[in-house]
Amino acid sequence: MKKMIICLMAMMGVLTLSAQEVYNNEVIGNIMARRSVRKYLDKPVEHEKLEAIALAGINAPSAINRQNWAVRIIEDQKLMADVKDMCRNSPNLICVCAPADGKFDLDAGLMGENMMLAAQSLGLGTCIQTGPVRALTTDERAKAFRDRLDIPADYKLLYVIAVGYPDEQPDAKPRDTSKVKYIK
């Protein structure tokens, strides 16, 4: 499949020969293969894989290495049952928090990308979501869920990442390469 995409892109003139060679790089291939997954198998992710994902996340760059984030990874299936519908029916959920003042939201975003790419490399699917945040942080039915997260008082829940074994393989959406300009 990857070779077919490379060939199509090369025929369209999107990739130069050197870019085709770079595309065969394992990291770049992982980036190009990651898609938002919205259907998951009913199979929780193993704790060891969730640990690897968390480790990849906390190794993301952060301003002056402050690491101003808090991560909560939900493995408790009873707790997941309370929020499963709003979280794409994923068996596990990663909750990413940052200081409420918003100064470190970018750092938390970098962390999320690391975690999603790590999940992809482990054969897992992910879908980053901000939609459930409002319900998770304000809806009275989610109070027990919120309480279990134990988010620091001066932090806010920024987004969640649904994670699990994919039950679909979404196609890539077109990307607008005209938005990239090379200044020489």
Side-chain angles (χ1 to χ4, degrees):
M1 177 64 146
K2 183 168 71 170
K3 287 181 181 179
M4 183 175 77
I5 292 171
I6 292 172
C7 289
L8 287 172
M9 292 177 80
M11 287 189 303
M12 294 174 10
V14 174
L15 289 178
T16 63
L17 180 60
S18 61
Q20 290 175 47
E21 293 167 354
V22 170
Y23 192 87
N24 288 325
N25 174 284
E26 186 177 346
V27 173
I28 294 172
N30 192 47
I31 292 168
M32 302 301 275
R34 201 209 75 77
R35 301 285 170 262
S36 291
V37 172
R38 292 173 174 86
K39 294 179 184 174
Y40 299 91
L41 298 175
D42 187 20
K43 175 185 176 186
V45 176
E46 297 85 352
H47 179 78
E48 296 75 20
K49 287 186 178 183
L50 294 171
E51 280 184 321
I53 292 167
L55 186 60
I58 64 172
N59 274 281
S62 66
I64 315 171
N65 196 32
R66 289 189 180 158
Q67 302 176 45
N68 282 319
W69 47 54
V71 179
R72 304 297 185 258
I73 301 175
I74 312 303
E75 295 182 90
D76 182 335
Q77 293 305 294
K78 288 181 183 173
L79 189 59
M80 279 302 301
D82 293 342
V83 297
K84 221 169 188 156
D85 288 342
M86 69 177 83
C87 297
R88 304 282 183 194
N89 290 313
S90 65
N92 298 95
L93 193 65
I94 300 170
C95 301
V96 178
C97 309
D101 64 12
K103 291 181 183 177
F104 299 96
D105 289 1
L106 176 60
D107 293 354
L110 294 169
M111 169 190 249
E113 183 67 10
N114 270 21
M115 289 190 290
M116 290 187 296
L117 292 173
Q120 172 70 29
S121 75
L122 296 171
L124 301 168
T126 57
C127 186
I128 191 167
Q129 302 170 70
T130 58
V133 170
R134 182 173 179 194
L136 292 174
T137 56
T138 62
D139 192 318
E140 195 54 37
R141 293 172 294 180
K143 184 176 180 347
F145 182 86
R146 272 195 310 278
D147 291 347
R148 287 282 306 273
L149 291 182
D150 190 31
I151 298 172
D154 57 340
Y155 275 54
K156 65 181 176 183
L157 177 61
L158 285 181
Y159 60 87
V160 298
I161 301 173
V163 61
Y165 288 94
D167 195 18
E168 66 174 348
Q169 293 183 340
D171 291 331
K173 303 284 193 287
R175 298 296 193 241
D176 185 356
T177 58
S178 71
K179 295 183 181 218
V180 178
K181 302 287 184 206
Y182 297 93
I183 313 300
K184 295 184 179 190

